PDB file of all heavy atoms in Angstrom:
ATOM      1  N   VAL A 203     -11.240 -15.584 -13.307  1.00  0.00           N
ATOM      2  CA  VAL A 203     -11.658 -16.520 -12.281  1.00  0.00           C
ATOM      3  C   VAL A 203     -10.424 -17.068 -11.571  1.00  0.00           C
ATOM      4  O   VAL A 203     -10.533 -17.617 -10.457  1.00  0.00           O
ATOM      5  CB  VAL A 203     -12.506 -17.678 -12.836  1.00  0.00           C
ATOM      6  CG1 VAL A 203     -13.804 -17.146 -13.470  1.00  0.00           C
ATOM      7  CG2 VAL A 203     -11.727 -18.521 -13.836  1.00  0.00           C
ATOM      8  N   LEU A 204      -9.261 -16.940 -12.200  1.00  0.00           N
ATOM      9  CA  LEU A 204      -7.979 -17.317 -11.601  1.00  0.00           C
ATOM     10  C   LEU A 204      -6.974 -16.283 -12.063  1.00  0.00           C
ATOM     11  O   LEU A 204      -6.724 -16.141 -13.253  1.00  0.00           O
ATOM     12  CB  LEU A 204      -7.577 -18.736 -12.072  1.00  0.00           C
ATOM     13  CG  LEU A 204      -6.197 -19.217 -11.580  1.00  0.00           C
ATOM     14  CD1 LEU A 204      -6.270 -19.452 -10.050  1.00  0.00           C
ATOM     15  CD2 LEU A 204      -5.783 -20.478 -12.270  1.00  0.00           C
ATOM     16  N   VAL A 205      -6.419 -15.542 -11.101  1.00  0.00           N
ATOM     17  CA  VAL A 205      -5.464 -14.506 -11.452  1.00  0.00           C
ATOM     18  C   VAL A 205      -4.132 -15.113 -11.826  1.00  0.00           C
ATOM     19  O   VAL A 205      -3.619 -16.036 -11.148  1.00  0.00           O
ATOM     20  CB  VAL A 205      -5.295 -13.537 -10.229  1.00  0.00           C
ATOM     21  CG1 VAL A 205      -4.225 -12.483 -10.548  1.00  0.00           C
ATOM     22  CG2 VAL A 205      -6.626 -12.849  -9.943  1.00  0.00           C
ATOM     23  N   ASP A 206      -3.539 -14.633 -12.928  1.00  0.00           N
ATOM     24  CA  ASP A 206      -2.213 -15.052 -13.365  1.00  0.00           C
ATOM     25  C   ASP A 206      -2.096 -16.596 -13.478  1.00  0.00           C
ATOM     26  O   ASP A 206      -1.211 -17.209 -12.865  1.00  0.00           O
ATOM     27  CB  ASP A 206      -1.104 -14.543 -12.377  1.00  0.00           C
ATOM     28  CG  ASP A 206      -0.989 -13.023 -12.429  1.00  0.00           C
ATOM     29  OD1 ASP A 206      -1.383 -12.433 -13.424  1.00  0.00           O
ATOM     30  OD2 ASP A 206      -0.465 -12.470 -11.454  1.00  0.00           O
ATOM     31  N   PRO A 207      -2.947 -17.232 -14.285  1.00  0.00           N
ATOM     32  CA  PRO A 207      -2.839 -18.691 -14.424  1.00  0.00           C
ATOM     33  C   PRO A 207      -1.548 -19.083 -15.066  1.00  0.00           C
ATOM     34  O   PRO A 207      -1.029 -18.391 -15.947  1.00  0.00           O
ATOM     35  CB  PRO A 207      -4.052 -19.035 -15.306  1.00  0.00           C
ATOM     36  CG  PRO A 207      -4.295 -17.810 -16.108  1.00  0.00           C
ATOM     37  CD  PRO A 207      -3.948 -16.643 -15.157  1.00  0.00           C
ATOM     38  N   LEU A 208      -1.012 -20.271 -14.653  1.00  0.00           N
ATOM     39  CA  LEU A 208       0.180 -20.788 -15.280  1.00  0.00           C
ATOM     40  C   LEU A 208      -0.240 -21.658 -16.481  1.00  0.00           C
ATOM     41  O   LEU A 208      -1.456 -22.032 -16.608  1.00  0.00           O
ATOM     42  CB  LEU A 208       0.917 -21.640 -14.252  1.00  0.00           C
ATOM     43  CG  LEU A 208       1.385 -20.919 -12.994  1.00  0.00           C
ATOM     44  CD1 LEU A 208       1.912 -21.915 -11.962  1.00  0.00           C
ATOM     45  CD2 LEU A 208       2.418 -19.882 -13.351  1.00  0.00           C
ATOM     46  N   GLU A 209       0.699 -22.068 -17.285  1.00  0.00           N
ATOM     47  CA  GLU A 209       0.386 -22.899 -18.452  1.00  0.00           C
ATOM     48  C   GLU A 209      -0.247 -24.192 -18.016  1.00  0.00           C
ATOM     49  O   GLU A 209      -1.045 -24.804 -18.788  1.00  0.00           O
ATOM     50  CB  GLU A 209       1.620 -23.146 -19.280  1.00  0.00           C
ATOM     51  CG  GLU A 209       2.124 -21.910 -20.008  1.00  0.00           C
ATOM     52  CD  GLU A 209       3.223 -22.199 -21.010  1.00  0.00           C
ATOM     53  OE1 GLU A 209       3.399 -23.384 -21.358  1.00  0.00           O
ATOM     54  OE2 GLU A 209       3.935 -21.266 -21.411  1.00  0.00           O
ATOM     55  N   ARG A 210       0.058 -24.704 -16.862  1.00  0.00           N
ATOM     56  CA  ARG A 210      -0.527 -25.952 -16.382  1.00  0.00           C
ATOM     57  C   ARG A 210      -1.932 -25.775 -15.760  1.00  0.00           C
ATOM     58  O   ARG A 210      -2.475 -26.670 -15.209  1.00  0.00           O
ATOM     59  CB  ARG A 210       0.420 -26.599 -15.329  1.00  0.00           C
ATOM     60  CG  ARG A 210       0.571 -25.784 -14.093  1.00  0.00           C
ATOM     61  CD  ARG A 210       1.444 -26.465 -13.080  1.00  0.00           C
ATOM     62  NE  ARG A 210       2.784 -26.778 -13.623  1.00  0.00           N
ATOM     63  CZ  ARG A 210       3.658 -27.552 -13.004  1.00  0.00           C
ATOM     64  NH1 ARG A 210       3.375 -28.094 -11.843  1.00  0.00           N
ATOM     65  NH2 ARG A 210       4.845 -27.763 -13.524  1.00  0.00           N
ATOM     66  N   GLN A 211      -2.473 -24.565 -15.862  1.00  0.00           N
ATOM     67  CA  GLN A 211      -3.778 -24.215 -15.291  1.00  0.00           C
ATOM     68  C   GLN A 211      -4.699 -23.661 -16.379  1.00  0.00           C
ATOM     69  O   GLN A 211      -5.190 -22.581 -16.257  1.00  0.00           O
ATOM     70  CB  GLN A 211      -3.621 -23.207 -14.146  1.00  0.00           C
ATOM     71  CG  GLN A 211      -2.766 -23.716 -13.006  1.00  0.00           C
ATOM     72  CD  GLN A 211      -2.483 -22.650 -11.959  1.00  0.00           C
ATOM     73  OE1 GLN A 211      -2.025 -21.538 -12.324  1.00  0.00           O
ATOM     74  NE2 GLN A 211      -2.697 -22.936 -10.685  1.00  0.00           N
ATOM     75  N   PRO A 212      -4.982 -24.413 -17.415  1.00  0.00           N
ATOM     76  CA  PRO A 212      -5.856 -23.947 -18.515  1.00  0.00           C
ATOM     77  C   PRO A 212      -7.282 -23.776 -18.040  1.00  0.00           C
ATOM     78  O   PRO A 212      -7.729 -24.346 -17.050  1.00  0.00           O
ATOM     79  CB  PRO A 212      -5.721 -25.015 -19.592  1.00  0.00           C
ATOM     80  CG  PRO A 212      -5.407 -26.281 -18.820  1.00  0.00           C
ATOM     81  CD  PRO A 212      -4.544 -25.809 -17.665  1.00  0.00           C
ATOM     82  N   TRP A 213      -8.035 -23.024 -18.833  1.00  0.00           N
ATOM     83  CA  TRP A 213      -9.378 -22.654 -18.451  1.00  0.00           C
ATOM     84  C   TRP A 213     -10.343 -23.859 -18.363  1.00  0.00           C
ATOM     85  O   TRP A 213     -11.343 -23.873 -17.616  1.00  0.00           O
ATOM     86  CB  TRP A 213      -9.973 -21.634 -19.398  1.00  0.00           C
ATOM     87  CG  TRP A 213     -10.371 -22.170 -20.748  1.00  0.00           C
ATOM     88  CD1 TRP A 213      -9.562 -22.333 -21.834  1.00  0.00           C
ATOM     89  CD2 TRP A 213     -11.659 -22.648 -21.131  1.00  0.00           C
ATOM     90  NE1 TRP A 213     -10.257 -22.894 -22.881  1.00  0.00           N
ATOM     91  CE2 TRP A 213     -11.570 -23.078 -22.461  1.00  0.00           C
ATOM     92  CE3 TRP A 213     -12.903 -22.666 -20.507  1.00  0.00           C
ATOM     93  CZ2 TRP A 213     -12.670 -23.539 -23.162  1.00  0.00           C
ATOM     94  CZ3 TRP A 213     -13.989 -23.196 -21.192  1.00  0.00           C
ATOM     95  CH2 TRP A 213     -13.870 -23.648 -22.506  1.00  0.00           C
ATOM     96  N   GLY A 214     -10.036 -24.920 -19.111  1.00  0.00           N
ATOM     97  CA  GLY A 214     -10.928 -26.100 -19.140  1.00  0.00           C
ATOM     98  C   GLY A 214     -11.139 -26.717 -17.743  1.00  0.00           C
ATOM     99  O   GLY A 214     -12.176 -27.295 -17.490  1.00  0.00           O
ATOM    100  N   GLY A 215     -10.159 -26.570 -16.866  1.00  0.00           N
ATOM    101  CA  GLY A 215     -10.297 -27.103 -15.496  1.00  0.00           C
ATOM    102  C   GLY A 215     -11.208 -26.255 -14.641  1.00  0.00           C
ATOM    103  O   GLY A 215     -11.522 -26.669 -13.515  1.00  0.00           O
ATOM    104  N   ARG A 216     -11.655 -25.085 -15.167  1.00  0.00           N
ATOM    105  CA  ARG A 216     -12.526 -24.233 -14.401  1.00  0.00           C
ATOM    106  C   ARG A 216     -13.671 -23.770 -15.287  1.00  0.00           C
ATOM    107  O   ARG A 216     -14.187 -22.657 -15.206  1.00  0.00           O
ATOM    108  CB  ARG A 216     -11.772 -22.972 -13.898  1.00  0.00           C
ATOM    109  CG  ARG A 216     -10.726 -23.320 -12.824  1.00  0.00           C
ATOM    110  CD  ARG A 216      -9.861 -22.137 -12.473  1.00  0.00           C
ATOM    111  NE  ARG A 216      -9.059 -22.407 -11.244  1.00  0.00           N
ATOM    112  CZ  ARG A 216      -7.995 -23.164 -11.223  1.00  0.00           C
ATOM    113  NH1 ARG A 216      -7.543 -23.710 -12.321  1.00  0.00           N
ATOM    114  NH2 ARG A 216      -7.355 -23.386 -10.100  1.00  0.00           N
ATOM    115  N   ALA A 217     -14.145 -24.662 -16.123  1.00  0.00           N
ATOM    116  CA  ALA A 217     -15.172 -24.371 -17.122  1.00  0.00           C
ATOM    117  C   ALA A 217     -16.437 -23.836 -16.472  1.00  0.00           C
ATOM    118  O   ALA A 217     -17.046 -22.899 -16.971  1.00  0.00           O
ATOM    119  CB  ALA A 217     -15.457 -25.606 -17.952  1.00  0.00           C
TER     120      ALA A 217
END
Side-chain angles (χ1 to χ4, degrees):
V203 298
L204 177 67
V205 175
D206 293 337
L208 303 170
E209 289 190 17
R210 62 177 60 189
Q211 297 172 312
W213 74 274
R216 291 172 169 78

